Amino acid sequence: MTLFDVYPLSNITITKAQGSYVWDESGIQYLDMYGGHAVISIGHTNPHWVQRIEEQLHKIAFYSNSIKIPIQQQLAEKLGKVSGKEDYQLFLCNSGAEANENALKLASFENKKKKVVAFSKSFHGRTSLAVAATDNPKIVAPVNETDNVIFLPFNDEGALEKCFAEQGNKISSVIIEAIQGVGGIIEATKGFLQKIRSLCDEYNAVYIADSVQDGYGRSGEFFAHDAAGVDADIYTMAKGMGNGFPIGGILIAPHIQPKHGMLGTTFGGNHLACAAALAVLEVIESEDLIEQAKKTGEYLLYRLSGIEGIENVRGRGLMIGFDVPEELKDLKKNLLYNQRVFTGEAKPNVIRLLPSLAITRKQVDEFIDSLQNEIVSMRKAILTTAELS
Ligand SMILES: Cc1ncc(COP(=O)(O)O)c(C=O)c1O
């Protein structure tokens, strides 16, 4: 049997990881500025996280949601405390797409309406309604197509107001990333998020804060949406939540009431996933990683702003992007193979940095040196080619 070939792969096999470094099978060390796509929140193989999972594994790894699972309640309490949303309710699932799918569905159960407002360049996952609310027709299969999703331009308050004025009685929810990740590190303005809040209040619609990538402390606040000073009705979470152990969840405002059977999952909230997620929150708390992400992010932004050759450095906390001009289009690949640094990308020309929240200033300096070296050598090569031709 072969693997279903859907991923364009880098020709590297990682066999070991620790903190912000990974090693390939021949022992070569790489600096991880990508965090396995924003997933590594507290650092690879963090000892407390490993110990918690190991201990749980020896007790019980899984039982279905038909029995009491006290570790779910422990996770809910810790999550409430660390996120500051203590009066919210937690529903656990397994991935970001699933979190958004459940959020959109719950909103519709709640207000009995059908339309979803989503925005240009959004990414919300690949399950049926999440992908329909994603602004990329290439990944929407015919069976996912629906006229229930309305796409509006990002950060356009006028368009949002007009849409609500015309169809507010049909709009069930608005789903938005506070910092678009796949879209290329584009921030929603505070005013835009506040406008979403007030229109959702006025028209009885549900504000869904997709915090799958920008949440869990990555932005320097628990939720990137918090910067706008308003509360969403539902926050969706996944990536950083388990530091690589698959787990997702939604935080649900107290005014939304549960009913038995309205949501459900076999694997969501299993003992092992909850142990991993609890370990993540314990480390975030004990190592003050949200504050660290904020400060290290500011430092990284400052260092990047001094680098000649890259453009539009932007972002918040440890969710940072910059544009790469055409002449340096191989920068990401060269960083990986020449400088041994993993970075992320957003099409067509953005490099995305999503390192662990525990990355140190020294590692940031190491990255900046690698970036500078690579840009200098790429430019030299361009000049040499020009001289020869
Ligand atoms: C903002 C956002 N929402 C949802 C998802 C989907 O998450 P998952 O791949 O865990 O289903 C992603 C994944 O990149 C994302 O960035």
Side-chain angles (χ1 to χ4, degrees):
M1 192 189 287
T2 57
L3 295 174
F4 199 53
D5 185 14
V6 289
Y7 300 111
L9 300 179
S10 300
N11 189 20
I12 291 179
T13 305
I14 295 174
T15 52
K16 197 178 101 177
Q18 191 178 30
S20 289
Y21 294 107
V22 297
W23 286 264
D24 70 14
E25 56 203 336
S26 49
I28 295 173
Q29 177 179 300
Y30 298 77
L31 177 65
D32 188 7
M33 295 299 291
Y34 174 52
H37 208 88
V39 166
I40 301 304
S41 47
I42 58 169
H44 289 282
T45 58
N46 176 287
H48 178 67
W49 177 83
V50 171
Q51 190 191 350
R52 259 253 190 212
I53 294 173
E54 233 169 47
E55 282 172 8
Q56 188 61 50
L57 202 48
H58 288 290
K59 291 185 207 155
I60 177 169
F62 172 82
Y63 205 81
S64 91
N65 279 306
S66 62
I67 46 131
K68 285 188 178 173
I69 303 180
I71 197 170
Q72 292 183 349
Q73 186 57 39
Q74 284 171 36
L75 175 59
E77 275 160 31
K78 179 65 94 184
L79 190 48
K81 185 166 170 251
V82 179
S83 69
K85 314 282 177 206
E86 269 164 308
D87 54 345
Y88 280 55
Q89 310 152 84
L90 174 65
F91 176 76
L92 290 162
C93 56
N94 308 285
S95 69
E98 218 185 303
N100 285 330
E101 197 76 27
N102 278 298
L104 293 161
K105 193 172 167 181
L106 180 57
S108 178
F109 273 136
E110 171 68 10
N111 55 25
K112 317 271 181 304
K113 297 194 275 181
K114 284 190 181 174
K115 301 271 182 199
V116 172
V117 172
F119 299 98
S120 50
K121 293 193 131 192
S122 61
F123 185 89
H124 299 298
R126 290 168 183 269
T127 55
S128 90
L129 192 50
V131 84
T134 288
D135 183 21
N136 180 357
K138 279 197 226 136
I139 62 168
V140 179
V143 72
N144 304 131
E145 284 167 13
T146 167
D147 52 17
N148 281 334
V149 180
I150 305 164
F151 283 101
L152 296 178
F154 195 64
N155 277 338
D156 185 336
E157 290 182 35
L160 187 67
E161 266 170 354
K162 185 163 175 285
C163 178
F164 266 97
E166 288 168 2
Q167 305 187 60
N169 60 339
K170 296 190 196 130
I171 296 172
S172 170
S173 59
V174 178
I175 183 164
I176 181 167
E177 301 152 82
I179 308 173
Q180 291 188 325
V182 176
I185 314 292
I186 307 173
E187 281 196 57
T189 62
K190 287 181 189 172
F192 194 57
L193 298 179
Q194 287 159 359
K195 180 61 72 183
I196 290 174
R197 178 67 278 162
S198 64
L199 287 168
C200 284
D201 285 341
E202 189 179 341
Y203 289 90
N204 182 30
V206 173
Y207 172 178
I208 300 172
D210 180 342
S211 308
V212 168
Q213 187 165 153
D214 62 25
Y216 249 77
R218 178 154 296 283
S219 72
E221 289 178 82
F222 193 86
F223 290 119
H225 288 256
D226 289 343
V230 289
D231 282 327
D233 298 302
I234 303 178
Y235 295 86
T236 64
M237 308 163 294
K239 295 187 185 296
M241 195 171 178
N243 195 46
F245 199 102
I247 179 166
I250 63 179
L251 287 191
I252 304 153
H255 69 85
I256 300 177
Q257 300 293 319
K259 275 199 200 90
H260 282 177
M262 83 199 294
L263 302 177
T265 154
T266 298
F267 291 119
N270 66 77
H271 298 72
L272 205 49
C274 288
L278 262 171
V280 168
L281 290 172
E282 284 157 0
V283 173
I284 285 181
E285 232 185 358
S286 67
E287 297 185 11
D288 205 9
L289 287 185
I290 301 184
E291 189 57 23
Q292 183 172 328
K294 186 173 173 197
K295 289 195 178 130
T296 319
E298 280 164 6
Y299 180 63
L300 177 52
L301 278 174
Y302 159 73
R303 292 295 318 268
L304 285 169
S305 65
I307 294 203
E308 241 183 84
I310 59 169
E311 293 157 5
N312 300 322
V313 176
R314 57 189 180 271
R316 242 194 301 150
L318 290 170
M319 186 158 177
I320 290 176
F322 54 83
D323 295 344
V324 176
E326 179 60 23
E327 57 167 10
L328 298 178
K329 67 175 177 355
D330 289 333
L331 183 59
K332 180 180 177 290
K333 196 174 80 200
N334 290 1
L335 279 170
L336 182 59
Y337 293 109
N338 301 340
Q339 306 292 331
R340 314 291 188 196
V341 178
F342 275 92
T343 56
E345 68 182 341
K347 301 266 188 280
N349 66 335
V350 181
I351 285 191
R352 256 193 299 170
L353 304 177
L354 305 158
S356 150
L357 311 188
I359 193 169
T360 62
R361 275 187 173 225
K362 195 160 160 285
Q363 287 161 341
V364 166
D365 289 337
E366 193 184 316
F367 168 66
I368 295 291
D369 288 347
S370 302
L371 182 62
Q372 238 152 4
N373 289 343
E374 191 52 45
I375 292 176
V376 167
S377 68
M378 286 179 81
R379 283 191 154 164
K380 255 192 213 149
I382 294 165
L383 283 177
T384 315
T385 320
E387 275 164 17
L388 288 175
S389 60

